[in-house]
mmCIF file of all heavy atoms in Angstrom:
data_model
loop_
_atom_site.group_PDB
_atom_site.id
_atom_site.type_symbol
_atom_site.label_atom_id
_atom_site.label_comp_id
_atom_site.label_asym_id
_atom_site.label_seq_id
_atom_site.Cartn_x
_atom_site.Cartn_y
_atom_site.Cartn_z
ATOM 1 N N LEU B 232 40.605 -13.172 -13.862
ATOM 2 C CA LEU B 232 40.853 -12.292 -12.658
ATOM 3 C C LEU B 232 40.756 -13.277 -11.430
ATOM 4 O O LEU B 232 40.388 -14.295 -11.541
ATOM 5 C CB LEU B 232 39.811 -11.160 -12.468
ATOM 6 C CG LEU B 232 40.024 -10.155 -13.620
ATOM 7 C CD1 LEU B 232 38.722 -9.203 -13.474
ATOM 8 C CD2 LEU B 232 41.155 -9.341 -13.635
ATOM 9 N N LEU B 233 41.391 -12.728 -10.309
ATOM 10 C CA LEU B 233 41.612 -13.541 -9.088
ATOM 11 C C LEU B 233 40.257 -14.166 -8.652
ATOM 12 O O LEU B 233 40.273 -15.356 -8.418
ATOM 13 C CB LEU B 233 41.982 -12.597 -8.031
ATOM 14 C CG LEU B 233 43.526 -12.567 -7.803
ATOM 15 C CD1 LEU B 233 43.722 -11.670 -6.664
ATOM 16 C CD2 LEU B 233 44.118 -13.983 -7.590
ATOM 17 N N ALA B 234 39.230 -13.431 -8.637
ATOM 18 C CA ALA B 234 37.975 -13.952 -8.164
ATOM 19 C C ALA B 234 37.425 -15.264 -8.975
ATOM 20 O O ALA B 234 37.080 -16.235 -8.578
ATOM 21 C CB ALA B 234 36.805 -12.940 -8.129
ATOM 22 N N LEU B 235 37.573 -15.053 -10.282
ATOM 23 C CA LEU B 235 37.225 -16.211 -11.263
ATOM 24 C C LEU B 235 38.159 -17.343 -11.051
ATOM 25 O O LEU B 235 37.759 -18.445 -11.064
ATOM 26 C CB LEU B 235 37.161 -15.700 -12.674
ATOM 27 C CG LEU B 235 36.630 -16.665 -13.705
ATOM 28 C CD1 LEU B 235 35.173 -17.067 -13.484
ATOM 29 C CD2 LEU B 235 36.691 -16.117 -15.122
ATOM 30 N N ASN B 236 39.447 -16.971 -10.927
ATOM 31 C CA ASN B 236 40.365 -18.128 -10.678
ATOM 32 C C ASN B 236 40.107 -18.854 -9.442
ATOM 33 O O ASN B 236 40.165 -20.055 -9.450
ATOM 34 C CB ASN B 236 41.802 -17.485 -10.555
ATOM 35 C CG ASN B 236 42.918 -18.470 -10.316
ATOM 36 O OD1 ASN B 236 43.191 -18.868 -9.205
ATOM 37 N ND2 ASN B 236 43.429 -18.885 -11.428
ATOM 38 N N ILE B 237 39.700 -18.222 -8.363
ATOM 39 C CA ILE B 237 39.332 -18.947 -7.183
ATOM 40 C C ILE B 237 38.100 -19.761 -7.412
ATOM 41 O O ILE B 237 37.997 -20.961 -7.016
ATOM 42 C CB ILE B 237 39.139 -17.913 -6.004
ATOM 43 C CG1 ILE B 237 40.363 -17.227 -5.718
ATOM 44 C CG2 ILE B 237 38.512 -18.571 -4.827
ATOM 45 C CD1 ILE B 237 40.283 -15.965 -4.745
ATOM 46 N N PHE B 238 37.120 -19.204 -8.064
ATOM 47 C CA PHE B 238 35.920 -19.973 -8.379
ATOM 48 C C PHE B 238 36.190 -21.231 -9.120
ATOM 49 O O PHE B 238 35.660 -22.283 -8.865
ATOM 50 C CB PHE B 238 34.937 -19.022 -9.108
ATOM 51 C CG PHE B 238 33.715 -19.643 -9.546
ATOM 52 C CD1 PHE B 238 32.612 -19.844 -8.636
ATOM 53 C CD2 PHE B 238 33.468 -20.242 -10.777
ATOM 54 C CE1 PHE B 238 31.493 -20.359 -8.845
ATOM 55 C CE2 PHE B 238 32.254 -20.907 -11.147
ATOM 56 C CZ PHE B 238 31.300 -21.043 -10.147
ATOM 57 N N ASN B 239 37.000 -21.065 -10.263
ATOM 58 C CA ASN B 239 37.490 -22.291 -11.043
ATOM 59 C C ASN B 239 38.210 -23.214 -10.320
ATOM 60 O O ASN B 239 38.077 -24.431 -10.522
ATOM 61 C CB ASN B 239 38.093 -21.797 -12.261
ATOM 62 C CG ASN B 239 37.257 -21.155 -13.202
ATOM 63 O OD1 ASN B 239 36.074 -21.366 -13.255
ATOM 64 N ND2 ASN B 239 37.724 -20.401 -14.145
ATOM 65 N N THR B 240 38.979 -22.810 -9.414
ATOM 66 C CA THR B 240 39.728 -23.856 -8.497
ATOM 67 C C THR B 240 38.734 -24.599 -7.680
ATOM 68 O O THR B 240 38.978 -25.756 -7.459
ATOM 69 C CB THR B 240 40.819 -23.133 -7.583
ATOM 70 O OG1 THR B 240 41.411 -22.103 -8.308
ATOM 71 C CG2 THR B 240 41.761 -24.019 -7.034
ATOM 72 N N PHE B 241 37.835 -23.940 -7.098
ATOM 73 C CA PHE B 241 36.774 -24.658 -6.281
ATOM 74 C C PHE B 241 35.939 -25.686 -7.052
ATOM 75 O O PHE B 241 35.739 -26.813 -6.840
ATOM 76 C CB PHE B 241 35.923 -23.734 -5.685
ATOM 77 C CG PHE B 241 36.242 -23.152 -4.275
ATOM 78 C CD1 PHE B 241 36.512 -21.901 -3.870
ATOM 79 C CD2 PHE B 241 36.177 -24.288 -3.300
ATOM 80 C CE1 PHE B 241 36.839 -21.588 -2.649
ATOM 81 C CE2 PHE B 241 36.532 -23.917 -2.008
ATOM 82 C CZ PHE B 241 36.744 -22.556 -1.681
ATOM 83 N N TYR B 242 35.362 -25.178 -8.176
ATOM 84 C CA TYR B 242 34.432 -25.819 -8.919
ATOM 85 C C TYR B 242 34.739 -26.484 -10.225
ATOM 86 O O TYR B 242 34.006 -27.191 -10.806
ATOM 87 C CB TYR B 242 33.170 -25.058 -9.053
ATOM 88 C CG TYR B 242 32.529 -24.534 -7.803
ATOM 89 C CD1 TYR B 242 32.799 -23.390 -7.229
ATOM 90 C CD2 TYR B 242 31.815 -25.428 -7.044
ATOM 91 C CE1 TYR B 242 32.392 -22.931 -5.970
ATOM 92 C CE2 TYR B 242 31.165 -25.068 -5.742
ATOM 93 C CZ TYR B 242 31.527 -23.780 -5.303
ATOM 94 O OH TYR B 242 30.952 -23.496 -4.103
ATOM 95 N N GLY B 243 36.031 -26.289 -10.565
ATOM 96 C CA GLY B 243 36.462 -26.838 -11.947
ATOM 97 C C GLY B 243 37.578 -27.914 -11.698
ATOM 98 O O GLY B 243 37.771 -28.660 -12.727
ATOM 99 N N ARG B 244 38.196 -28.087 -10.570
ATOM 100 C CA ARG B 244 39.257 -28.963 -10.500
ATOM 101 C C ARG B 244 38.956 -29.827 -9.154
ATOM 102 O O ARG B 244 39.043 -29.194 -8.137
ATOM 103 C CB ARG B 244 40.561 -28.255 -10.421
ATOM 104 C CG ARG B 244 41.008 -27.496 -11.426
ATOM 105 C CD ARG B 244 42.002 -26.310 -11.135
ATOM 106 N NE ARG B 244 43.363 -26.886 -11.215
ATOM 107 C CZ ARG B 244 44.381 -26.068 -11.083
ATOM 108 N NH1 ARG B 244 44.178 -24.773 -10.930
ATOM 109 N NH2 ARG B 244 45.630 -26.467 -11.270
ATOM 110 N N THR B 245 38.531 -30.988 -9.328
ATOM 111 C CA THR B 245 38.217 -31.847 -8.075
ATOM 112 C C THR B 245 39.658 -32.126 -7.362
ATOM 113 O O THR B 245 40.619 -32.291 -7.933
ATOM 114 C CB THR B 245 37.669 -33.147 -8.508
ATOM 115 O OG1 THR B 245 38.097 -33.533 -9.796
ATOM 116 C CG2 THR B 245 36.157 -33.128 -8.378
ATOM 117 N N GLY B 246 39.549 -32.140 -6.135
ATOM 118 C CA GLY B 246 40.551 -32.384 -5.231
ATOM 119 C C GLY B 246 41.399 -31.116 -4.958
ATOM 120 O O GLY B 246 42.273 -31.115 -4.098
ATOM 121 N N TRP B 247 40.960 -29.946 -5.465
ATOM 122 C CA TRP B 247 41.690 -28.608 -5.301
ATOM 123 C C TRP B 247 40.852 -27.840 -4.426
ATOM 124 O O TRP B 247 41.197 -26.597 -4.249
ATOM 125 C CB TRP B 247 41.955 -28.041 -6.588
ATOM 126 C CG TRP B 247 43.101 -28.507 -7.314
ATOM 127 C CD1 TRP B 247 43.251 -29.773 -7.779
ATOM 128 C CD2 TRP B 247 44.428 -27.814 -7.495
ATOM 129 N NE1 TRP B 247 44.536 -30.034 -8.293
ATOM 130 C CE2 TRP B 247 45.287 -28.925 -8.159
ATOM 131 C CE3 TRP B 247 44.954 -26.629 -7.205
ATOM 132 C CZ2 TRP B 247 46.545 -28.572 -8.515
ATOM 133 C CZ3 TRP B 247 46.219 -26.299 -7.599
ATOM 134 C CH2 TRP B 247 47.064 -27.333 -8.161
ATOM 135 N N GLU B 248 39.868 -28.280 -3.775
ATOM 136 C CA GLU B 248 39.024 -27.417 -2.987
ATOM 137 C C GLU B 248 39.657 -26.614 -1.784
ATOM 138 O O GLU B 248 39.437 -25.465 -1.600
ATOM 139 C CB GLU B 248 37.833 -28.171 -2.346
ATOM 140 C CG GLU B 248 36.754 -28.584 -3.337
ATOM 141 C CD GLU B 248 36.963 -29.997 -3.997
ATOM 142 O OE1 GLU B 248 38.081 -30.408 -3.788
ATOM 143 O OE2 GLU B 248 36.097 -30.378 -4.595
ATOM 144 N N GLY B 249 40.520 -27.497 -1.225
ATOM 145 C CA GLY B 249 41.440 -26.887 -0.091
ATOM 146 C C GLY B 249 42.306 -25.650 -0.626
ATOM 147 O O GLY B 249 42.410 -24.636 -0.035
ATOM 148 N N VAL B 250 42.889 -25.948 -1.896
ATOM 149 C CA VAL B 250 43.836 -24.852 -2.399
ATOM 150 C C VAL B 250 42.897 -23.633 -2.672
ATOM 151 O O VAL B 250 43.304 -22.563 -2.568
ATOM 152 C CB VAL B 250 44.549 -25.390 -3.772
ATOM 153 C CG1 VAL B 250 45.371 -24.451 -4.279
ATOM 154 C CG2 VAL B 250 45.183 -26.671 -3.395
ATOM 155 N N GLY B 251 41.733 -23.923 -3.154
ATOM 156 C CA GLY B 251 40.718 -22.787 -3.549
ATOM 157 C C GLY B 251 40.527 -22.032 -2.321
ATOM 158 O O GLY B 251 40.550 -20.769 -2.297
ATOM 159 N N GLN B 252 40.279 -22.643 -1.203
ATOM 160 C CA GLN B 252 40.008 -21.941 0.097
ATOM 161 C C GLN B 252 41.296 -21.237 0.400
ATOM 162 O O GLN B 252 41.124 -20.021 1.053
ATOM 163 C CB GLN B 252 39.527 -22.908 1.153
ATOM 164 C CG GLN B 252 39.026 -22.265 2.335
ATOM 165 C CD GLN B 252 37.753 -21.421 2.173
ATOM 166 O OE1 GLN B 252 36.704 -21.926 1.622
ATOM 167 N NE2 GLN B 252 37.860 -20.189 2.462
ATOM 168 N N ALA B 253 42.417 -21.848 0.465
ATOM 169 C CA ALA B 253 43.608 -21.133 0.681
ATOM 170 C C ALA B 253 43.791 -19.824 -0.086
ATOM 171 O O ALA B 253 44.174 -18.805 0.300
ATOM 172 C CB ALA B 253 44.806 -22.004 0.740
ATOM 173 N N LYS B 254 43.576 -20.038 -1.415
ATOM 174 C CA LYS B 254 43.592 -18.773 -2.285
ATOM 175 C C LYS B 254 42.657 -17.668 -1.849
ATOM 176 O O LYS B 254 42.930 -16.518 -1.890
ATOM 177 C CB LYS B 254 43.183 -19.295 -3.707
ATOM 178 C CG LYS B 254 44.235 -20.040 -4.510
ATOM 179 C CD LYS B 254 43.700 -20.279 -5.907
ATOM 180 C CE LYS B 254 44.737 -21.057 -6.800
ATOM 181 N NZ LYS B 254 44.188 -21.346 -8.053
ATOM 182 N N ALA B 255 41.336 -18.216 -1.455
ATOM 183 C CA ALA B 255 40.454 -17.212 -0.977
ATOM 184 C C ALA B 255 40.896 -16.436 0.305
ATOM 185 O O ALA B 255 40.760 -15.266 0.394
ATOM 186 C CB ALA B 255 39.135 -17.868 -0.699
#
Side-chain angles (χ1 to χ4, degrees):
Chain B
L232 294 172
L233 270 179
L235 186 61
N236 181 274
I237 294 169
F238 179 81
N239 285 337
T240 317
F241 263 118
Y242 297 98
R244 299 159 89 170
T245 27
W247 281 65
E248 287 86 353
V250 184
Q252 190 61 56
K254 282 181 182 178

